[in-house]
Amino acid sequence: MKTKSKQLTLKWQRLVDEGDTCPRCDSTENEIEKAVSTLRQSLKPLGIEIILNKEVLTIEEFKKDPLESNRIHINNRPLEDYIDAKTGQSPCCDVCGPADCRTIDVEGNTYETIPSELIIRAGLSAALD
């Protein structure tokens, strides 16, 4: 009897307004793609399938809660939970307007773009969870 493979689901959400997103979300998209590729290679021998869902926040949703943009969840938990990070905020760009956008603080470092290394670390932690 074949056993069902385990899944690791990453959900990334970001503001997209008239086809545009901010530079930090654009850069995070590249980083999450790198991280997913690495996680797929690393976890495939363990029978763990990696699923990436990219979700769009409208400008109206963004205005209600700007810190929801550029947010990553792994298996329905915020990335920050897995890497002992805190959420911060800082001014961003024209697409985001006057709203401060999400940053994450890890071990004394603040990141506007979420680096693939942190996504991989959180993904591996979630896989072992």
Side-chain angles (χ1 to χ4, degrees):
M1 184 156 115
K2 186 176 179 184
T3 58
K4 187 175 185 239
S5 67
K6 183 177 176 183
Q7 292 183 337
L8 189 70
T9 303
L10 287 83
K11 179 179 89 169
W12 173 59
Q13 55 195 43
R14 81 284 189 206
L15 166 67
V16 177
D17 184 35
E18 296 181 10
D20 292 327
T21 193
C22 70
R24 69 177 70 171
C25 286
D26 190 47
S27 295
T28 296
E29 184 168 23
N30 294 328
E31 294 296 310
I32 200 165
E33 292 287 352
K34 286 194 295 190
V36 164
S37 177
T38 299
L39 287 168
R40 282 186 175 137
Q41 287 179 329
S42 301
L43 297 174
K44 184 176 182 176
L46 300 175
I48 300 174
E49 178 186 10
I50 308 302
I51 311 248
L52 173 60
N53 296 316
K54 297 179 183 181
E55 296 188 2
V56 170
L57 295 176
T58 65
I59 192 68
E60 292 78 19
E61 292 169 320
F62 176 79
K63 285 179 180 177
K64 287 179 189 168
D65 190 356
L67 298 184
E68 285 298 307
S69 187
N70 207 25
R71 183 172 204 158
I72 298 173
H73 286 88
I74 302 175
N75 288 347
N76 297 315
R77 283 180 53 198
L79 171 126
E80 295 86 0
D81 286 1
Y82 293 104
I83 57 173
D84 197 29
K86 303 280 185 244
T87 301
Q89 59 192 65
S90 67
C92 194
C93 68
D94 292 343
V95 176
C96 300
D100 283 352
C101 291
R102 167 183 287 278
T103 62
I104 61 169
D105 300 317
V106 182
E107 299 165 353
N109 297 306
T110 299
Y111 299 94
E112 293 180 344
T113 295
I114 304 170
S116 60
E117 295 81 17
L118 294 180
I119 301 166
I120 292 165
R121 193 165 101 195
L124 292 174
S125 179
L128 299 173
D129 207 16

